[in-house]
PDB file of all heavy atoms in Angstrom:
ATOM      1  N   HIS M  83      36.346 -17.498  -9.441  1.00 94.00           N
ATOM      2  CA  HIS M  83      35.361 -17.449 -10.517  1.00 94.00           C
ATOM      3  C   HIS M  83      35.234 -18.812 -11.181  1.00 94.00           C
ATOM      4  O   HIS M  83      34.138 -19.265 -11.525  1.00 94.00           O
ATOM      5  CB  HIS M  83      35.790 -16.388 -11.531  1.00 94.00           C
ATOM      6  CG  HIS M  83      34.705 -15.976 -12.473  1.00 94.00           C
ATOM      7  ND1 HIS M  83      34.916 -15.786 -13.809  1.00 94.00           N
ATOM      8  CD2 HIS M  83      33.388 -15.717 -12.277  1.00 94.00           C
ATOM      9  CE1 HIS M  83      33.789 -15.427 -14.399  1.00 94.00           C
ATOM     10  NE2 HIS M  83      32.847 -15.376 -13.484  1.00 94.00           N
ATOM     11  N   THR M  84      36.361 -19.490 -11.345  1.00 94.00           N
ATOM     12  CA  THR M  84      36.362 -20.828 -11.959  1.00 94.00           C
ATOM     13  C   THR M  84      35.581 -21.816 -11.102  1.00 94.00           C
ATOM     14  O   THR M  84      34.816 -22.639 -11.614  1.00 94.00           O
ATOM     15  CB  THR M  84      37.797 -21.327 -12.150  1.00 94.00           C
ATOM     16  OG1 THR M  84      38.521 -20.401 -12.975  1.00 94.00           O
ATOM     17  CG2 THR M  84      37.805 -22.699 -12.810  1.00 94.00           C
ATOM     18  N   ALA M  85      35.745 -21.719  -9.788  1.00 94.00           N
ATOM     19  CA  ALA M  85      35.055 -22.643  -8.886  1.00 94.00           C
ATOM     20  C   ALA M  85      33.547 -22.470  -8.966  1.00 94.00           C
ATOM     21  O   ALA M  85      32.789 -23.439  -8.871  1.00 94.00           O
ATOM     22  CB  ALA M  85      35.531 -22.427  -7.454  1.00 94.00           C
ATOM     23  N   LEU M  86      33.094 -21.228  -9.166  1.00 95.00           N
ATOM     24  CA  LEU M  86      31.653 -20.995  -9.276  1.00 95.00           C
ATOM     25  C   LEU M  86      31.083 -21.771 -10.457  1.00 95.00           C
ATOM     26  O   LEU M  86      30.014 -22.384 -10.356  1.00 95.00           O
ATOM     27  CB  LEU M  86      31.390 -19.497  -9.439  1.00 95.00           C
ATOM     28  CG  LEU M  86      29.922 -19.038  -9.436  1.00 95.00           C
ATOM     29  CD1 LEU M  86      29.799 -17.627  -8.856  1.00 95.00           C
ATOM     30  CD2 LEU M  86      29.314 -19.050 -10.839  1.00 95.00           C
ATOM     31  N   TYR M  87      31.829 -21.787 -11.571  1.00 94.00           N
ATOM     32  CA  TYR M  87      31.325 -22.452 -12.770  1.00 94.00           C
ATOM     33  C   TYR M  87      31.504 -23.964 -12.742  1.00 94.00           C
ATOM     34  O   TYR M  87      31.111 -24.638 -13.677  1.00 94.00           O
ATOM     35  CB  TYR M  87      31.967 -21.830 -14.005  1.00 94.00           C
ATOM     36  CG  TYR M  87      31.341 -20.488 -14.342  1.00 94.00           C
ATOM     37  CD1 TYR M  87      32.081 -19.315 -14.257  1.00 94.00           C
ATOM     38  CD2 TYR M  87      29.997 -20.398 -14.703  1.00 94.00           C
ATOM     39  CE1 TYR M  87      31.499 -18.093 -14.543  1.00 94.00           C
ATOM     40  CE2 TYR M  87      29.408 -19.188 -14.987  1.00 94.00           C
ATOM     41  CZ  TYR M  87      30.160 -18.025 -14.912  1.00 94.00           C
ATOM     42  OH  TYR M  87      29.574 -16.825 -15.189  1.00 94.00           O
ATOM     43  N   ARG M  88      32.067 -24.470 -11.674  1.00 93.00           N
ATOM     44  CA  ARG M  88      32.036 -25.926 -11.489  1.00 93.00           C
ATOM     45  C   ARG M  88      30.647 -26.371 -11.032  1.00 93.00           C
ATOM     46  O   ARG M  88      30.285 -27.528 -11.207  1.00 93.00           O
ATOM     47  CB  ARG M  88      33.075 -26.363 -10.441  1.00 93.00           C
ATOM     48  CG  ARG M  88      34.514 -26.167 -10.857  1.00 93.00           C
ATOM     49  CD  ARG M  88      35.446 -26.958  -9.958  1.00 93.00           C
ATOM     50  NE  ARG M  88      36.830 -26.575 -10.177  1.00 93.00           N
ATOM     51  CZ  ARG M  88      37.562 -25.836  -9.346  1.00 93.00           C
ATOM     52  NH1 ARG M  88      37.024 -25.409  -8.211  1.00 93.00           N
ATOM     53  NH2 ARG M  88      38.815 -25.541  -9.618  1.00 93.00           N
ATOM     54  N   HIS M  89      29.920 -25.467 -10.433  1.00 95.00           N
ATOM     55  CA  HIS M  89      28.591 -25.794  -9.903  1.00 95.00           C
ATOM     56  C   HIS M  89      27.463 -25.329 -10.817  1.00 95.00           C
ATOM     57  O   HIS M  89      26.361 -25.886 -10.768  1.00 95.00           O
ATOM     58  CB  HIS M  89      28.433 -25.168  -8.521  1.00 95.00           C
ATOM     59  CG  HIS M  89      29.437 -25.669  -7.519  1.00 95.00           C
ATOM     60  ND1 HIS M  89      29.262 -26.842  -6.835  1.00 95.00           N
ATOM     61  CD2 HIS M  89      30.635 -25.150  -7.121  1.00 95.00           C
ATOM     62  CE1 HIS M  89      30.306 -27.031  -6.035  1.00 95.00           C
ATOM     63  NE2 HIS M  89      31.144 -26.023  -6.187  1.00 95.00           N
ATOM     64  N   PHE M  90      27.722 -24.308 -11.621  1.00 95.00           N
ATOM     65  CA  PHE M  90      26.730 -23.806 -12.565  1.00 95.00           C
ATOM     66  C   PHE M  90      27.414 -23.618 -13.907  1.00 95.00           C
ATOM     67  O   PHE M  90      28.429 -22.928 -13.999  1.00 95.00           O
ATOM     68  CB  PHE M  90      26.129 -22.485 -12.075  1.00 95.00           C
ATOM     69  CG  PHE M  90      25.371 -22.606 -10.783  1.00 95.00           C
ATOM     70  CD1 PHE M  90      26.008 -22.375  -9.576  1.00 95.00           C
ATOM     71  CD2 PHE M  90      24.039 -22.987 -10.776  1.00 95.00           C
ATOM     72  CE1 PHE M  90      25.322 -22.506  -8.368  1.00 95.00           C
ATOM     73  CE2 PHE M  90      23.342 -23.116  -9.580  1.00 95.00           C
ATOM     74  CZ  PHE M  90      23.991 -22.882  -8.369  1.00 95.00           C
ATOM     75  N   GLU M  91      26.844 -24.228 -14.924  1.00 93.00           N
ATOM     76  CA  GLU M  91      27.488 -24.262 -16.242  1.00 93.00           C
ATOM     77  C   GLU M  91      27.792 -22.872 -16.779  1.00 93.00           C
ATOM     78  O   GLU M  91      28.837 -22.637 -17.381  1.00 93.00           O
ATOM     79  CB  GLU M  91      26.601 -25.019 -17.225  1.00 93.00           C
ATOM     80  CG  GLU M  91      27.185 -25.154 -18.620  1.00 93.00           C
ATOM     81  CD  GLU M  91      26.259 -25.918 -19.546  1.00 93.00           C
ATOM     82  OE1 GLU M  91      25.195 -26.375 -19.090  1.00 93.00           O
ATOM     83  OE2 GLU M  91      26.603 -26.056 -20.734  1.00 93.00           O
ATOM     84  N   ASN M  92      26.879 -21.942 -16.567  1.00 95.00           N
ATOM     85  CA  ASN M  92      27.055 -20.576 -17.037  1.00 95.00           C
ATOM     86  C   ASN M  92      26.127 -19.667 -16.234  1.00 95.00           C
ATOM     87  O   ASN M  92      25.396 -20.137 -15.351  1.00 95.00           O
ATOM     88  CB  ASN M  92      26.766 -20.464 -18.548  1.00 95.00           C
ATOM     89  CG  ASN M  92      25.453 -21.149 -18.925  1.00 95.00           C
ATOM     90  OD1 ASN M  92      24.447 -21.010 -18.221  1.00 95.00           O
ATOM     91  ND2 ASN M  92      25.459 -21.897 -20.019  1.00 95.00           N
ATOM     92  N   LYS M  93      26.149 -18.385 -16.542  1.00 94.00           N
ATOM     93  CA  LYS M  93      25.322 -17.441 -15.788  1.00 94.00           C
ATOM     94  C   LYS M  93      23.844 -17.736 -15.991  1.00 94.00           C
ATOM     95  O   LYS M  93      23.041 -17.606 -15.064  1.00 94.00           O
ATOM     96  CB  LYS M  93      25.641 -16.009 -16.214  1.00 94.00           C
ATOM     97  CG  LYS M  93      24.897 -14.961 -15.384  1.00 94.00           C
ATOM     98  CD  LYS M  93      25.313 -13.554 -15.758  1.00 94.00           C
ATOM     99  CE  LYS M  93      24.575 -12.528 -14.908  1.00 94.00           C
ATOM    100  NZ  LYS M  93      24.973 -11.128 -15.237  1.00 94.00           N
ATOM    101  N   GLU M  94      23.469 -18.147 -17.207  1.00 94.00           N
ATOM    102  CA  GLU M  94      22.072 -18.458 -17.490  1.00 94.00           C
ATOM    103  C   GLU M  94      21.565 -19.584 -16.594  1.00 94.00           C
ATOM    104  O   GLU M  94      20.434 -19.549 -16.104  1.00 94.00           O
ATOM    105  CB  GLU M  94      21.890 -18.832 -18.958  1.00 94.00           C
ATOM    106  CG  GLU M  94      22.033 -17.672 -19.932  1.00 94.00           C
ATOM    107  CD  GLU M  94      23.468 -17.180 -20.072  1.00 94.00           C
ATOM    108  OE1 GLU M  94      24.406 -17.992 -19.809  1.00 94.00           O
ATOM    109  OE2 GLU M  94      23.664 -16.001 -20.415  1.00 94.00           O
ATOM    110  N   ALA M  95      22.411 -20.599 -16.381  1.00 95.00           N
ATOM    111  CA  ALA M  95      22.025 -21.718 -15.517  1.00 95.00           C
ATOM    112  C   ALA M  95      21.868 -21.251 -14.072  1.00 95.00           C
ATOM    113  O   ALA M  95      20.972 -21.711 -13.347  1.00 95.00           O
ATOM    114  CB  ALA M  95      23.058 -22.829 -15.602  1.00 95.00           C
ATOM    115  N   LEU M  96      22.722 -20.327 -13.654  1.00 96.00           N
ATOM    116  CA  LEU M  96      22.626 -19.788 -12.296  1.00 96.00           C
ATOM    117  C   LEU M  96      21.340 -18.978 -12.135  1.00 96.00           C
ATOM    118  O   LEU M  96      20.630 -19.118 -11.132  1.00 96.00           O
ATOM    119  CB  LEU M  96      23.845 -18.912 -12.006  1.00 96.00           C
ATOM    120  CG  LEU M  96      23.871 -18.191 -10.650  1.00 96.00           C
ATOM    121  CD1 LEU M  96      23.807 -19.193  -9.502  1.00 96.00           C
ATOM    122  CD2 LEU M  96      25.117 -17.326 -10.537  1.00 96.00           C
ATOM    123  N   VAL M  97      21.031 -18.141 -13.121  1.00 95.00           N
ATOM    124  CA  VAL M  97      19.799 -17.342 -13.076  1.00 95.00           C
ATOM    125  C   VAL M  97      18.576 -18.251 -13.050  1.00 95.00           C
ATOM    126  O   VAL M  97      17.605 -18.000 -12.332  1.00 95.00           O
ATOM    127  CB  VAL M  97      19.746 -16.373 -14.269  1.00 95.00           C
ATOM    128  CG1 VAL M  97      18.362 -15.720 -14.374  1.00 95.00           C
ATOM    129  CG2 VAL M  97      20.823 -15.301 -14.128  1.00 95.00           C
ATOM    130  N   GLU M  98      18.613 -19.337 -13.814  1.00 95.00           N
ATOM    131  CA  GLU M  98      17.499 -20.288 -13.826  1.00 95.00           C
ATOM    132  C   GLU M  98      17.321 -20.920 -12.445  1.00 95.00           C
ATOM    133  O   GLU M  98      16.190 -21.122 -11.976  1.00 95.00           O
ATOM    134  CB  GLU M  98      17.751 -21.375 -14.860  1.00 95.00           C
ATOM    135  CG  GLU M  98      16.619 -22.365 -15.034  1.00 95.00           C
ATOM    136  CD  GLU M  98      15.358 -21.745 -15.608  1.00 95.00           C
ATOM    137  OE1 GLU M  98      15.452 -20.714 -16.309  1.00 95.00           O
ATOM    138  OE2 GLU M  98      14.256 -22.283 -15.356  1.00 95.00           O
ATOM    139  N   ALA M  99      18.421 -21.239 -11.780  1.00 96.00           N
ATOM    140  CA  ALA M  99      18.358 -21.812 -10.433  1.00 96.00           C
ATOM    141  C   ALA M  99      17.780 -20.797  -9.443  1.00 96.00           C
ATOM    142  O   ALA M  99      17.015 -21.158  -8.538  1.00 96.00           O
ATOM    143  CB  ALA M  99      19.734 -22.266  -9.981  1.00 96.00           C
ATOM    144  N   VAL M 100      18.146 -19.519  -9.618  1.00 96.00           N
ATOM    145  CA  VAL M 100      17.595 -18.460  -8.772  1.00 96.00           C
ATOM    146  C   VAL M 100      16.089 -18.351  -8.987  1.00 96.00           C
ATOM    147  O   VAL M 100      15.312 -18.230  -8.036  1.00 96.00           O
ATOM    148  CB  VAL M 100      18.283 -17.117  -9.066  1.00 96.00           C
ATOM    149  CG1 VAL M 100      17.518 -15.945  -8.426  1.00 96.00           C
ATOM    150  CG2 VAL M 100      19.721 -17.137  -8.551  1.00 96.00           C
TER     151      VAL M 100
END
Side-chain angles (χ1 to χ4, degrees):
H83 196 222
T84 302
L86 186 149
Y87 283 114
R88 293 196 191 106
H89 299 277
F90 297 93
E91 182 180 358
N92 48 43
K93 185 176 181 179
E94 289 71 25
L96 176 59
V97 170
E98 184 66 25
V100 167

